[in-house]
Amino acid sequence: MHSVALVVYPNFQPLSLSIGSVFECANLLRGEPAYAFHLVSEHGGAVMSSQGFSVNTTPMRAEGYDTLIVSGYLDFRLPEASLPALVKAASVHSRRVVSLCMGVFVLAEAGLLDDKRITTHWLHAPTLRKRYPHLQLEEDRLYVVDGNLWTCAGMSASLDVALALVESDLGHDLARQVARKLVIVQRRGSEQSQLSALLELDPRSDRIQLALAYARENLRDDLSVEALAAVARLSPRQFSRVFREETGRTPAKAIEALRVEAARALMETSRHPVEVIARETGFGDRERLRQAFLRAFGQPPQALQKRLATP
């Protein structure tokens, strides 16, 4: 059985607790226990979260765990010196060490990140880089795996990391079932950017939001201005004007961004050839997909596939 320990400390961000549901569902769907989940802290007992409620914990054990996960803060602060020392001692006997969001600072203070590729929340990346200039920071990545070290971005990315851990342990099919059980719309891979295309567009009106939501769910269909205007119940001319006012982009550029994001996610989570990915995401053929990737990333989709295929 895999022992998984989530390390919390005073003022930890409680969204990190949600990863326990991933391992709980893995046990449920597998039909037998695969994970033993532990909520631990430096001294054990009640630990207060940043939202004012406390959780009961057991003392972190020096002999380590199969997977040791360090939760994060909401705002920047350095941990007490005793915590990184304890995490470092436990990491020696743990198969994997994971940081959630600003938990990376605990690992950095423990000296566990030297010569490792890492990531953290984009907002705190400049502080991390300034304090630890020797680290190999990849700040736009959702999560990064380097050997037995896993680091991830903001707190919602903890679910993506937990699903990736389950996939590594128990296979793709079970991880997919867990995601469906938790009603996670899209399993995001490590290469995915921390900022989604929909979040960057951020329209104000319900009608434009409705049109973008429709587009996101129907990327293979006709997503012309006329089609989207009909969804938004506006004339094509009105729709184009309002869309650009609210998002700063033309509808065509926005739809391309959504399709590129979906294509990149498919490359990370499947082994489909480029032709299939182009068809599934509405590009139609590999040349249109290639041109879109060159505009978005400065490299063709084959370059991403090659990087993903490299151990």
Side-chain angles (χ1 to χ4, degrees):
M1 184 181 297
H2 302 280
S3 61
V4 178
L6 175 64
V7 183
V8 297
Y9 37 83
N11 294 307
F12 76 96
Q13 218 295 319
L15 188 56
S16 60
L17 298 173
S18 63
I19 66 169
S21 296
V22 173
F23 302 110
E24 181 183 14
C25 284
N27 287 342
L28 177 67
L29 293 171
R30 195 167 185 258
E32 60 181 353
Y35 294 101
F37 185 75
H38 308 272
L39 194 58
V40 305
S41 64
E42 187 173 357
H43 305 293
V47 177
M48 187 66 69
S49 74
S50 63
Q51 293 183 7
F53 64 84
S54 62
V55 295
N56 292 322
T57 67
T58 57
M60 195 189 323
R61 61 193 192 204
E63 60 267 30
Y65 304 85
D66 179 73
T67 304
L68 183 67
I69 305 175
V70 181
S71 62
Y73 291 115
L74 190 61
D75 296 318
F76 172 73
R77 65 184 70 190
L78 288 175
E80 298 292 333
S82 55
L83 179 61
L86 187 59
V87 168
K88 184 176 184 179
S91 71
V92 174
H93 306 288
S94 299
R95 180 167 66 96
R96 295 178 297 210
V97 179
V98 184
S99 71
L100 307 181
C101 193
M102 295 188 67
V104 73
F105 284 87
V106 176
L107 302 189
E109 289 293 305
L112 298 177
L113 304 184
D114 295 345
D115 302 318
K116 295 288 189 179
R117 295 165 39 251
I118 61 167
T119 192
T120 190
H121 192 288
W122 62 268
L123 185 62
H124 303 294
T127 303
L128 185 70
R129 184 182 294 106
K130 183 177 180 180
R131 185 171 180 83
Y132 313 101
H134 60 288
L135 300 183
Q136 301 178 45
L137 178 61
E138 301 180 14
E139 62 185 85
D140 190 45
R141 297 277 294 278
L142 199 65
Y143 62 89
V144 171
V145 182
D146 191 344
N148 71 333
L149 179 71
W150 300 51
T151 54
C152 82
M155 285 300 180
S156 66
S158 62
L159 292 174
D160 301 292
V161 167
L163 287 168
L165 291 169
V166 170
E167 180 172 351
S168 177
D169 295 335
L170 305 174
H172 173 79
D173 288 344
L174 184 63
R176 181 174 56 82
Q177 292 174 40
V178 172
R180 292 184 64 186
K181 175 74 173 176
L182 295 175
V183 199
I184 295 174
V185 176
Q186 177 188 351
R187 280 192 56 214
R188 301 178 295 178
S190 63
E191 291 284 337
Q192 190 155 335
S193 172
Q194 295 184 26
L195 300 178
S196 72
L198 279 179
L199 188 61
E200 288 185 346
L201 291 169
D202 193 27
R204 298 185 302 274
S205 67
D206 291 343
R207 292 190 176 191
I208 303 302
Q209 289 177 11
L210 180 65
L212 282 172
Y214 173 83
R216 181 66 172 19
E217 296 300 319
N218 298 276
L219 291 176
R220 295 184 60 177
D221 296 346
D222 171 28
L223 297 179
S224 62
V225 168
E226 290 75 17
L228 293 175
V231 173
R233 299 186 299 278
L234 293 169
S235 71
R237 185 174 180 179
Q238 279 182 305
F239 177 79
S240 295
R241 176 179 57 79
V242 174
F243 192 98
R244 187 153 194 167
E245 287 175 354
E246 294 194 10
T247 68
R249 300 193 195 185
T250 64
K253 289 294 185 184
I255 297 306
E256 180 175 288
L258 291 177
R259 283 175 166 153
V260 165
E261 183 176 74
R264 185 173 179 175
L266 266 180
M267 288 180 186
E268 295 169 3
T269 57
S270 75
R271 296 183 179 179
H272 295 316
V274 172
E275 292 82 358
V276 173
I277 292 174
R279 184 171 65 249
E280 291 298 314
T281 54
F283 284 105
D285 59 69
R286 62 183 298 158
E287 179 57 25
R288 289 179 62 193
L289 175 61
R290 190 181 77 87
Q291 292 296 331
F293 261 63
L294 288 173
R295 286 189 289 270
F297 308 121
Q299 59 182 2
Q302 290 83 354
L304 174 59
Q305 287 185 317
K306 184 177 180 180
R307 189 163 73 247
L308 291 171
T310 302

